Amino acid sequence: MAQINGINVEQLNGMIEAVKKEPSLARATFCSKTTWEKGFQSKGEIGDYVQAGQTVNRGKRFHVAGDHPEGLLGGNTGPAAVETLIAAVAGCISGGWATVGAAMGIPVERLEIELQGDIDLQGFMGLGNGVRPGLERIRGVVRVKSKASDEQLRQLKDTAEKMSPVVDSLRVPVETKLVRI
């Protein structure tokens, strides 16, 4: 049972082969429930998910606190939602480095992704003609320690970003449908 980057390569290849034979195994729905507390403070809860039409019980729940810094009218009890989004981008890309690196046989000894997101808050406030409320850009650096060649690392970086579900969700419009009940 060979492990590269903390990924069991045999299981990874088995999963890929299973999905090739039965693509519906790759269909998944992830869920969260967020409860507003006050001001910008909220608590998100993430638990079970659905894969191939079946609920997968994770056996535990994860919690994500949200708020704004005091300078932006928050209580500074948690990250702002855009900060959580930026962290999700880095987390997804780092997972891509691990899995794609494992599939390519490239061990990664250390990986650090440092991102910044630029936003004009006039859009959030309904000010500024044509100013979007969202991030204008996400930029940053990837620091990696590996014995792989520069070309292999470039290919790994490009593939990890290209195959990232979170990055893709930001690049391509995603249908958002919320129903008030």
Side-chain angles (χ1 to χ4, degrees), residues 164-174:
S164 165
V166 175
V167 172
D168 182 71
S169 296
L170 293 173
R171 287 185 178 152
V172 178
V174 174

Side-chain angles (χ1 to χ4, degrees), residues 1-68:
M1 173 173 6
Q3 291 248 344
I4 299 177
N5 306 328
I7 302 292
N8 180 312
V9 177
E10 187 177 315
Q11 287 179 342
L12 174 63
N13 289 331
M15 178 182 273
I16 291 169
E17 290 305 314
V19 168
K20 284 180 182 177
K21 290 177 186 166
E22 185 58 54
S24 66
L25 294 173
R27 300 290 304 170
T29 300
F30 294 95
C31 308
S32 72
K33 177 183 175 184
T34 299
T35 303
W36 171 77
E37 295 182 337
K38 66 179 180 179
F40 289 104
Q41 295 175 12
S42 63
K43 295 283 186 215
E45 182 177 272
I46 300 164
D48 301 344
Y49 65 99
V50 177
Q51 183 177 7
Q54 301 295 316
T55 299
V56 179
N57 184 336
R58 294 175 106 158
K60 62 179 169 178
R61 298 204 168 280
F62 302 95
H63 296 90
V64 180
D67 198 358
H68 278 189

Side-chain angles (χ1 to χ4, degrees), residues 66-143:
D67 198 358
H68 278 189
E70 290 176 358
L72 296 176
L73 307 179
N76 204 33
T77 61
V82 292
E83 293 170 309
T84 304
L85 177 65
I86 294 166
V89 167
C92 194
I93 292 171
S94 67
W97 274 79
T99 55
V100 173
M104 294 172 64
I106 299 174
V108 174
E109 296 173 42
R110 195 173 130 263
L111 178 71
E112 181 179 273
I113 301 173
E114 186 176 321
L115 299 179
Q116 295 110 31
D118 300 319
I119 189 169
D120 184 338
L121 295 173
Q122 290 181 87
F124 173 72
M125 294 180 227
L127 305 173
N129 190 16
V131 177
R132 291 180 50 242
L135 291 168
E136 298 167 341
R137 77 191 58 77
I138 297 174
R139 57 192 161 73
V141 296
V142 176
R143 295 180 187 88

